[in-house]
């Protein structure tokens, strides 16, 4: 088994080297793709856009992203996947030859296990939701079979083009092996497809959101503690990252397993708070909330405010404080986009209308 994985990893290193040598001038492009595929952009950009264009799709995006990333964490803890940038230094596979040179970048040194790829899984899940949503909206209006086929083909070609770019980016950056990004894409699509057959989360109460958040956290924490009792340290990858990353400043606490977990659970809980708030009921469900100009204004202001909000970085010196503030910050994202921004715009426009009268 180990020799078989060594062969898979060895061939993966060859692909990493090929991409790094053949496409060295595309380094900035690969870095941008990796940044764009981060789930932060789902929460800070895609969610507010889709929520006001089609509320159900916006809600589904959050659920697919959060549950997908939670499953990704559990899979990583079970599979103990290596990452190229540290495996190449620790393996005995190159005992009779020179160790290949694998270049590292500022986003290479992620601290979690490598399989499946979180970027690939998140990107596949999120884009699968968006593509299927666009197809549903467009194909309802189109009658000609040929136009339907062209629309269907173009959108899925775009989907696979995005996934290919994300996968190549993660391999180029030496953050993942090829089989890990493939597993991520398949897993992400499976999660998104599963949510196409689940309707309960659209009308979930605040209590259900709170219980779901608590269950996901306690299950992950319990799984971690249970294996720790049996002598299995699920944070083994953090030590490898610290040991083999060429620049200690490239190791960030927000890439650790529990940081990602609490960040995503905060977003889910914040969505529950927002959707069950009186601010949302008063300002998004009334006549004003259905106007296109109001929705477009909410999208623009939400993206601007959330972008400014994202610039706040919780202090990382005290780990528990960082986790708590990350949870609170993430909870504030959907709460701001869904409840606070519409409330502010509603009262601004109402005051403006009164002045005109």
């Amino acid at each position: 088994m180990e020799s078989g994985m060594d062969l898979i990893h060895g061939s993966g290193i060859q692909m990493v080297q090929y991409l790094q040598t053949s496409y060295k001038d595309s380094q900035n492009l690969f870095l941008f793709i990796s940044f764009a595929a981060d789930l932060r952009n789902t929460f800070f950009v895609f969610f507010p856009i889709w929520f006001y264009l089609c509320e159900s799709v916006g809600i589904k995006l959050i659920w697919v992203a959060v549950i997908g990333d939670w499953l990704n964490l559990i899979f990583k803890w079970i599979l103990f996947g290596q990452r190229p940038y540290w495996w190449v230094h620790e393996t005995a596979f190159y005992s009779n030859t020179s160790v290949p040179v694998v270049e590292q970048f500022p986003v290479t040194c992620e601290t979690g296990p490598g399989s499946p790829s979180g970027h690939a899984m998140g990107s596949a899940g999120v884009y699968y939701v968006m593509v299927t949503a666009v197809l549903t909206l467009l194909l309802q209006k189109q009658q000609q079979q040929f136009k339907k086929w062209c629309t269907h083909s173009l959108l899925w070609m775009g989907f696979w083009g995005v996934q290919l770019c994300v996968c190549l980016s993660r391999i180029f950056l030496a953050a993942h092996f090829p089989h890990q990004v493939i597993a991520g894409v398949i897993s992400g699509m499976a999660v998104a497809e599963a949510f196409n057959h689940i309707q309960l989360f659209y009308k979930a109460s605040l209590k259900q959101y709170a219980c779901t958040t608590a269950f996901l956290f306690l299950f992950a924490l319990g799984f971690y503690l249970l294996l720790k009792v049996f002598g299995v340290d699920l944070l083994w990858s953090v030590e490898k990252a610290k040991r083999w990353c060429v620049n200690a400043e490239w190791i960030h606490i927000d890439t650790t397993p529990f940081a990602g977990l609490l960040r995503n659970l905060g977003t889910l809980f914040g969505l529950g708070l927002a959707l069950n708030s009186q601010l949302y009921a008063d300002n998004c469900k009334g006549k004003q909330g259905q106007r296109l100009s109001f929705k477009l204004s909410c999208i623009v202001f939400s993206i601007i405010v959330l972008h400014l909000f994202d610039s706040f970085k919780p202090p990382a010196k005290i780990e528990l404080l960082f986790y708590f503030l990350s949870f609170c910050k993430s909870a504030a994202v959907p709460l701001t986009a869904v409840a606070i921004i519409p409330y502010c715009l509603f009262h601004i426009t109402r005051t403006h209308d009164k002045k005109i009268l």
Side-chain angles (χ1 to χ4, degrees):
M1 179 69 178
E2 187 174 350
S3 61
M5 287 306 299
D6 281 344
L7 288 173
I8 293 174
H9 288 145
S11 62
I13 291 295
Q14 288 181 330
M15 186 169 182
V16 172
Q17 285 189 297
Y18 171 76
L19 290 175
Q20 289 187 349
T21 54
S22 301
Y23 299 95
K24 191 173 183 64
D25 293 339
S26 302
Q27 172 184 328
N28 290 333
L29 175 61
F30 283 123
L31 286 168
F32 172 76
I33 292 171
S34 189
F35 165 78
D38 193 285
L39 280 183
R40 280 189 179 89
N41 292 306
T42 298
F43 303 144
F44 285 85
V45 180
F46 294 145
F47 168 69
I49 292 174
W50 274 104
F51 184 82
Y52 288 105
L53 293 181
C54 184
E55 184 177 303
S56 61
V57 178
I59 295 172
K60 186 191 288 188
L61 276 177
I62 295 292
W63 277 89
V64 168
V66 171
I67 299 301
D69 208 53
W70 181 82
L71 288 171
N72 181 264
L73 173 64
I74 301 301
F75 290 155
K76 283 180 174 178
W77 278 350
I78 293 173
L79 297 175
F80 288 85
Q82 304 287 332
R83 288 186 185 268
Y85 77 92
W86 75 56
W87 178 86
V88 73
H89 297 291
E90 295 193 338
T91 181
F93 187 69
Y94 302 107
S95 57
N96 297 324
T97 59
S98 58
V99 176
V101 177
V102 173
E103 189 176 353
Q104 296 182 21
F105 304 90
V107 297
T108 295
C109 302
E110 294 198 5
T111 56
S115 187
S117 166
H119 278 73
M121 188 169 176
S123 173
V126 166
Y127 277 88
Y128 189 94
V129 170
M130 292 192 291
V131 167
T132 52
V134 172
L135 282 173
T136 301
L137 293 172
L138 292 181
L139 298 186
Q140 286 177 344
K141 301 177 181 180
Q142 292 183 1
Q143 301 298 325
Q144 295 183 9
Q145 197 65 31
F146 179 72
K147 286 185 177 180
K148 286 185 177 181
W149 181 84
C150 289
T151 303
H152 190 276
S153 300
L154 286 173
L155 284 173
W156 282 115
M157 284 173 62
F159 171 84
W160 286 111
V162 170
Q163 303 320 308
L164 179 62
C165 290
V166 172
C167 291
L168 292 176
S169 168
R170 302 306 289 167
I171 297 170
F172 174 89
L173 298 172
H176 289 289
F177 291 100
H179 70 279
Q180 295 172 344
V181 293
I182 293 172
V185 171
I186 295 172
S187 302
M189 292 176 64
V191 172
E193 179 59 29
F195 271 89
N196 284 339
H197 305 281
I198 302 173
Q199 304 297 322
L200 295 175
F201 63 90
Y202 289 121
K203 300 297 181 180
S205 64
L206 179 58
K207 182 180 178 180
Q208 290 171 319
Y209 270 96
C211 289
T212 302
T213 303
F215 169 77
L216 294 175
F217 174 73
L218 292 174
F219 184 95
L221 180 63
F223 187 66
Y224 168 78
L225 294 175
L226 178 64
L227 290 186
K228 194 167 186 178
V229 168
F230 287 99
V232 180
D233 182 13
L234 292 179
L235 299 182
W236 60 274
S237 57
V238 178
E239 294 303 318
K240 289 185 180 293
K242 291 178 178 179
R243 181 179 180 185
W244 295 113
C245 187
V246 296
N247 189 335
E249 294 181 357
W250 293 351
I251 299 175
H252 303 287
I253 190 174
D254 62 352
T255 67
T256 58
F258 279 107
L261 173 67
L262 288 168
R263 183 169 58 244
N264 293 331
L265 294 185
T267 303
L268 184 64
F269 182 66
L271 178 64
L273 282 175
L275 293 177
N276 291 279
S277 68
Q278 195 60 42
L279 292 178
Y280 166 74
D282 292 343
N283 302 301
C284 289
K285 289 299 184 181
K287 291 183 179 179
Q288 175 81 350
Q290 303 307 311
R291 289 168 53 185
L292 180 61
S293 59
F294 182 78
K295 290 183 176 182
L296 292 177
S297 298
C298 286
I299 290 173
V300 172
F301 281 99
S302 292
I303 292 175
I304 294 173
V305 172
L306 293 182
H307 177 72
L308 296 174
F309 195 64
D310 191 35
S311 63
F312 165 71
K313 305 298 181 185
K317 291 184 179 180
I318 304 174
E319 196 168 349
L320 289 177
L321 178 62
F322 175 84
Y323 291 153
F324 173 73
L325 292 177
S326 293
F327 180 89
C328 295
K329 174 185 173 181
S330 298
V333 170
L335 189 62
T336 300
V338 172
I340 298 175
I341 295 292
Y343 171 80
C344 293
L345 288 177
F346 177 78
H347 283 276
I348 290 172
T349 53
R350 189 172 68 172
T351 303
H352 178 70
D353 291 343
K354 285 183 178 180
K355 287 182 178 181
I356 294 176
L357 293 174

